[in-house]
Each structure stands twice: as structure tokens, then as C-alpha cells.
Amino acid sequence: MLNYIKALILNRKSRFKRRFLSNISSKVFFGPNVQILGMENVLIKDNCTIGGDTLFTINNRDNKDIQLEIGRNSYIGRDSFFSVGKSIVIGDYCIFGNKCSFICSDHIFDNPLVPYALSGNSYEKTIRIGVNCWLGHDVSVIGNINIGHGCVIGAKTLITKDIPPFSMVVGNPARIVRTFNFDSGCWEKGEQQLTSIYHDERTYLGSLIKHSKDLPLGYHSASHEYGDL
């Protein structure tokens, strides 16, 4: 009973602190049981939804540098997991399904005579996900990875290498099955070397902002507390 009371008090303190951190927008909706280990190292911009039971872990909490950044109008599905090495950056207008994992920090395992839980973590890798990417259910992004803007990643895909912009990707290991051709206006089979003005990410983001208002927060999909529709 005493441990339960202590946990409840710590939970309330965390929620209170989160509400008054300037680097976490007041226009962010958190589902139940979201946990952030290293709140001062996290930047979450306006109009984001964070699904319930998501865990953000900043492994190097010895400084106050921003190591995890989530852009405006992004949606993180329930039960997602972030293990941050050097940094994870997510662009505006991204949408992730449930149970996605982003891992760029690992336990050091150079010496098996030392318990891996005590051997420390690696901090040198980064993950960057460009503007307006859609990642389906249970996608895993592992390592030092750059996913270009405008990509679509199929459910249960395992990504361990860079993905160019406007790619449609599936599988374990990931493979590019289609590329968007702005001349034809279609997703075309295979990996292709195509260019358009939208291959400049700032130009692409400007077009999204021009034609899109702030997206609605996903209360029902991110939290059981709002019940059925």
C-alpha cells in the first residue's frame, strides 16, 4: 500500500512538472500512462498527440540538451517506444501507428563478464524522420537512420538503413516497393531516382502548411479514457 501511494505521488509530480516545462507545448495531448525519462531533454511542439503507454527514454541525462524532438501536428500511436542515443528528430505532420519502436541507443556488450545492465549505453547514433511520414503498426527503426520526408512505411517493417524521400517501404528487412512520381502523380513500382521541387524538404513543408490547418488531436485513438465512439 505504501509503495502504491509513493508511486501515485511521483506520478502526480511528473504530470505537474510536464505541464510547466517550456519545451513541451501546452497544446499536446498525452494519453494515459505516458512516461518520459529525461523530460528536460525532450521538445514536443504544438498540436501533437502522444498515445497511451508510450515510453520515451533519454539514455544520457547528464545535460539539458534537446535529444528528442517531435514536430508540430504529429501523432504517436499507443504503446510506442523511444530509446534515444545522440538524438531522435521527428518532422511535422508525422503519424505513427501503435507499437512503433525507435532505437538508436543500446546496452554496451563488449565484455560479457560484466552484467549488461551495468555496462552502460551507447550515445552516438541518431534517428531522423522527415516531414509527413506515415509509419504503420509495429514498425521498428533501429540504428543510425535517416528516413526522408513523405515516406509511407508498411506495418511490421524493420528499418536498419536510410530511406530516400517519397518511398513506400515494406518488409523485414525493409525494401522500397514504390516511389512517388510527381510528374505522373502516382506511386510507381520500384526504387527510382526522381526529382521535383518537393524533394527540398522546406518547400514540401511549406506546401503542407499552406494547404493544411492544424490537425485535430486524436483523443479517442490515443486514450481509452474517452470511451467508445
Side-chain angles (χ1 to χ4, degrees):
M1 184 65 178
L2 181 60
N3 286 336
Y4 173 79
I5 293 173
K6 287 181 178 179
L8 186 63
I9 292 171
L10 288 173
N11 179 272
R12 297 299 181 186
K13 284 183 176 179
S14 293
R15 287 175 176 268
F16 182 81
K17 182 178 180 181
R18 183 190 298 166
R19 288 185 63 184
F20 292 96
L21 277 178
S22 60
N23 51 314
I24 297 180
S25 171
S26 60
K27 297 180 181 179
V28 174
F29 174 74
F30 289 94
N33 303 318
V34 172
Q35 186 177 17
I36 303 175
L37 303 180
M39 282 195 289
E40 293 182 343
N41 305 101
V42 174
L43 172 63
I44 306 179
K45 297 183 180 180
D46 290 347
N47 227 57
C48 289
T49 301
I50 311 298
D53 298 301
T54 292
L55 172 60
F56 300 101
T57 302
I58 307 299
N59 289 285
N60 182 12
R61 299 190 290 274
D62 292 335
N63 58 66
K64 294 185 179 181
D65 297 340
I66 296 299
Q67 299 173 46
L68 171 64
E69 178 179 332
I70 300 176
R72 290 172 51 88
N73 290 302
S74 290
Y75 177 93
I76 309 298
R78 296 192 196 190
D79 200 20
S80 293
F81 175 58
F82 295 74
S83 180
V84 181
K86 184 176 181 180
S87 68
I88 295 179
V89 178
I90 297 166
D92 295 358
Y93 295 102
C94 283
I95 179 171
F96 301 159
N98 296 338
K99 295 188 176 181
C100 289
S101 298
F102 306 86
I103 303 169
C104 60
S105 177
D106 196 3
H107 286 282
I108 295 171
F109 50 86
D110 294 343
N111 185 358
L113 298 178
V114 176
Y116 299 130
L118 302 177
S119 59
N121 292 73
S122 60
Y123 302 139
E124 70 277 4
K125 295 179 181 178
T126 65
I127 292 174
R128 186 185 184 281
I129 299 177
V131 166
N132 196 37
C133 287
W134 158 228
L135 278 62
H137 174 80
D138 199 17
V139 169
S140 296
V141 182
I142 301 176
N144 200 50
I145 303 295
N146 182 67
I147 298 176
H149 52 285
C151 286
V152 177
I153 313 296
K156 293 187 177 296
T157 296
L158 172 62
I159 297 178
T160 58
K161 62 181 182 180
D162 291 352
I163 305 295
F166 304 111
S167 298
M168 187 179 293
V169 181
V170 299
N172 180 359
R175 67 185 189 280
I176 298 172
V177 293
R178 292 181 184 272
T179 304
F180 193 81
N181 185 334
F182 282 93
D183 292 330
S184 66
C186 297
W187 291 96
E188 298 181 349
K189 288 185 178 180
E191 182 176 357
Q192 305 174 47
Q193 299 295 322
L194 302 174
T195 59
S196 80
I197 60 170
Y198 298 117
H199 277 72
D200 177 78
E201 189 170 20
R202 290 187 179 182
T203 301
Y204 181 55
L205 176 58
S207 177
L208 294 173
I209 293 171
K210 182 179 178 180
H211 295 98
S212 306
K213 296 181 180 180
D214 280 345
L215 304 182
L217 295 172
Y219 297 109
H220 286 276
S221 57
S223 171
H224 61 80
E225 295 177 346
Y226 285 81
D228 303 324
L229 289 172

